[in-house]
Amino acid sequence: MACGKCLQCRTGEAHICQNVKIIGVDADGAFAEYVVIPESNVWKLDPAIPQEYASILDPLGNAVHSVLAGEIAAKSVAITGCGPIGLFAIAVARATGAAQVFAIETNQHRRKIAAEMKADAVFDPATQDVKAEILQRSDGQGADVVLEMAGHPKAIRTAFDIVRRGGRISLLGLTSKPISLNFSEDIIFKGITIQGINGRRMYQTWYQMTALLKAGKLDLHPAITDRIAMKDFSSAMERLKTGEASKILVYPNGTK
Amino acid sequence: MACGKCLQCRTGEAHICQNVKIIGVDADGAFAEYVVIPESNVWKLDPAIPQEYASILDPLGNAVHSVLAGEIAAKSVAITGCGPIGLFAIAVARATGAAQVFAIETNQHRRKIAAEMKADAVFDPATQDVKAEILQRSDGQGADVVLEMAGHPKAIRTAFDIVRRGGRISLLGLTSKPISLNFSEDIIFKGITIQGINGRRMYQTWYQMTALLKAGKLDLHPAITDRIAMKDFSSAMERLKTGEASKILVYPNGTK
Amino acid sequence: MACGKCLQCRTGEAHICQNVKIIGVDADGAFAEYVVIPESNVWKLDPAIPQEYASILDPLGNAVHSVLAGEIAAKSVAITGCGPIGLFAIAVARATGAAQVFAIETNQHRRKIAAEMKADAVFDPATQDVKAEILQRSDGQGADVVLEMAGHPKAIRTAFDIVRRGGRISLLGLTSKPISLNFSEDIIFKGITIQGINGRRMYQTWYQMTALLKAGKLDLHPAITDRIAMKDFSSAMERLKTGEASKILVYPNGTK
Amino acid sequence: MACGKCLQCRTGEAHICQNVKIIGVDADGAFAEYVVIPESNVWKLDPAIPQEYASILDPLGNAVHSVLAGEIAAKSVAITGCGPIGLFAIAVARATGAAQVFAIETNQHRRKIAAEMKADAVFDPATQDVKAEILQRSDGQGADVVLEMAGHPKAIRTAFDIVRRGGRISLLGLTSKPISLNFSEDIIFKGITIQGINGRRMYQTWYQMTALLKAGKLDLHPAITDRIAMKDFSSAMERLKTGEASKILVYPNGTK
């Protein structure tokens, strides 16, 4: 919930509002039968969009915001970290014209889902030389765009290793650990651009998601791994931890 | 052939070079067994790209240049005029994330090919109310992007009628007739942007085309309507005039 | 007063709101002792800014919006039409790095004020060959940016004549007369961009104006030609018609 | 000397050419009576520009490239490090519409020159709380743009501390030391953009410099601290080390 009155809110950057309130953190959350939400935060789902997608529009919006934060058409795109946003980013990048999408993920379950989302190549950084693989697939240039969605120091290191001269790194993955870089070699000589990505432009991404989903450009089903009744909540959390589950749809009155 | 020395050439805008020379107009043309071309105008076709596409890369490059002259992902795109560049633009817009592609064309043969290129809807302005059709398919907004490739006064009028407030019109189609507009209603109140599109950024579009073609994102075959031996040149020209033919591949030593 | 709910309002384009209401046209106007204004349309003047500037912030905002609708630093800028917005645009273009500012105006009084606003050159299209003058001052290139603020067919013709290949024309001046162009010669071969400019991004331009005014970058005093008591309203209107007056400050309780 | 054939050279990014050769490093240098330079690297100084500026156009071009690598008009700009490029950046930012320019520099001699270049405020990070000073001068927002030109870990830390949410940091200053950041706090939550800046777009910056210098928008004389005969070369180097000298003009045949 953006304040609507700060510099950022007033200049189209409400997603980095200075006084943002997060439901569940700064205001009563949504683990209740009813929740009070400002009118402006409510979006009516287009009837042409499968209803189950309603529950995953927010992370999809983050993916759309990240992918479209710079040019993407005809570019090679590498995604480090295949949690739900990373998986959705694969679909969004493909739908918006990325020539190649590389997924990089240590967890085997997530790599399997990444492949189902139709990444052009999926790499395991624990056993593969990711940089060599990507250079070989990009005429030695490296990836035009890297979306860092893991928040792990090794993944961040990989992001800087694989981006091409003049490329873009969009950073989403959060980490509390300090990250050390060689600014001259990693950033300046390569002339890259790095973006901190936080949240999403709410309405713009809603319009974009609606347009892409209605057009049938995004198949997100592989990322919806589980559909459970609310009473099975605890056991489902286990599958999230192992990476076997990605997005879990919870049905209040038992699985539909 | 750009001069390489004017303001435009030196600032990345060689496609609008002040001293451009066109082969066949300002220099000896290519209707000969051999032709002299500057080294920098030669592009080596990637072996992964079907060889027959080599002969249509130039108009494809115009289409890529036009479509990507502004944002395209998740946008609705209308194309007025389905000659070869218009047809290619359908494929490029789809491949780069346009949510909907509308094709507008008076010739029935070209409309048929436009449908084969997978335009989401194809309209005949002679018999259909194009504006009403597009408003109805875009929540009453109009098209986000209009690519004017017909060069006919009526098509240009349609372009201004169907573009949404704040949208973009990219103009390619040439016409020697004066065009009359109501600047206040057609341009200013709607806050639109109009681009004159001439040629293409040569290398950038070559890189983009190569990436998209190698990725299998573009199927241009419906636009290649005829394959003829060079000796049948004259009869093929007839089919071009009627619109039955779009791109004709001419084989010097008989049809392959 | 923008509606806040249409596509344009929700994506940072409220200045081209589909349902905009203009005070004095669609709602009771401001020629009254009190006026009701939505809270979001009120801007508190920074105490460091001369209070008399408060009454001219709206047209200044239009000028800021127009000048900064594209790159301006180190560019040559031509302004056709020197009403208040045109005059303010001279100051804004200079303050934001335009290398040369050319003012074009038929009225001698306005030309005089344009010179006082420190335009680098002021031309009278009735007696001077404006195109030749500007080509000569721009190494034969033409103006990088043209701001069309006259709304007269001849001024619009001049705008297209003087813009350089690859340049920008921003259109503000309203005209009810149809304008005829040769699209091929005037727009396409030159590869120019044309923008319809309507209103202003309200908050963004307020922030920009505040920053520039506080920094002392804009001297708008030459455009404030008259300061009158409200009772002298009628006679002041005469001076507006002749062009002798540009911005007239009206003091409710007599001239300060 | 860019190769002219790599991806970067062919797409307008020759300043980050993969095969760039630096005169004096990869080819015979310019400490000689004659030097061989490719024709395309030669720029004829406009006769209206003071001849002494010829020798400082290259670092001025770096400053222009850095300042104009993003929006600058009506922005607050902080420059960390006032070597020659930093000093020139003060002048360029002012000339292109920055509302406020803050200079941050530990060396007292350089701070003095920064003030002469008309920085709005000059801070000594050794004795002043730079963050507090800048927040106070920017309504608590921080600087819209930070140009990091010191290459020192403390200056880099300051850059991230003072940039506002959604702001830009352009990195030029080289350092061999590893820099440690908290990616979440420093980059992601603030939604900032970081650019690695290397070299300059050669022709574009030449055109921009020429336009700004001819227009008299840049007074660089405070940065030219010394004019010496070539025979006094060694003693002048001492003054460079202490920071007393910034740009030193060396006259082959004795001081003019």
Side-chain angles (χ1 to χ4, degrees), chain A residues 20 44 68 153 175 182 211 219 223:
Chain A
V20 69
K44 195 176 164 190
L68 298 183
T175 173
N182 179 327
D219 179 8

Side-chain angles (χ1 to χ4, degrees), chain A residues 208-237:
Chain A
Q208 291 168 325
M209 285 187 275
T210 298
L212 292 172
L213 286 170
K214 281 183 71 174
K217 296 268 181 181
L218 298 174
D219 179 8
L220 309 174
H221 282 112
I224 301 176
T225 51
D226 299 55
R227 290 151 195 267
I228 63 165
M230 194 179 277
K231 66 179 174 56
D232 300 327
F233 186 79
S234 305
S235 59
M237 293 301 279

Side-chain angles (χ1 to χ4, degrees), chain D residues 224-240 245 247-256:
Chain D
I224 301 176
T225 52
D226 299 56
R227 289 151 195 270
I228 63 165
M230 195 178 278
K231 66 178 173 59
D232 299 326
F233 185 80
S234 303
S235 61
M237 291 302 279
E238 279 309 304
R239 282 172 49 80
L240 264 188
K247 270 295 165 193
I248 299 176
L249 299 191
V250 181
Y251 292 86
N253 303 313
T255 315
K256 196 167 55 174

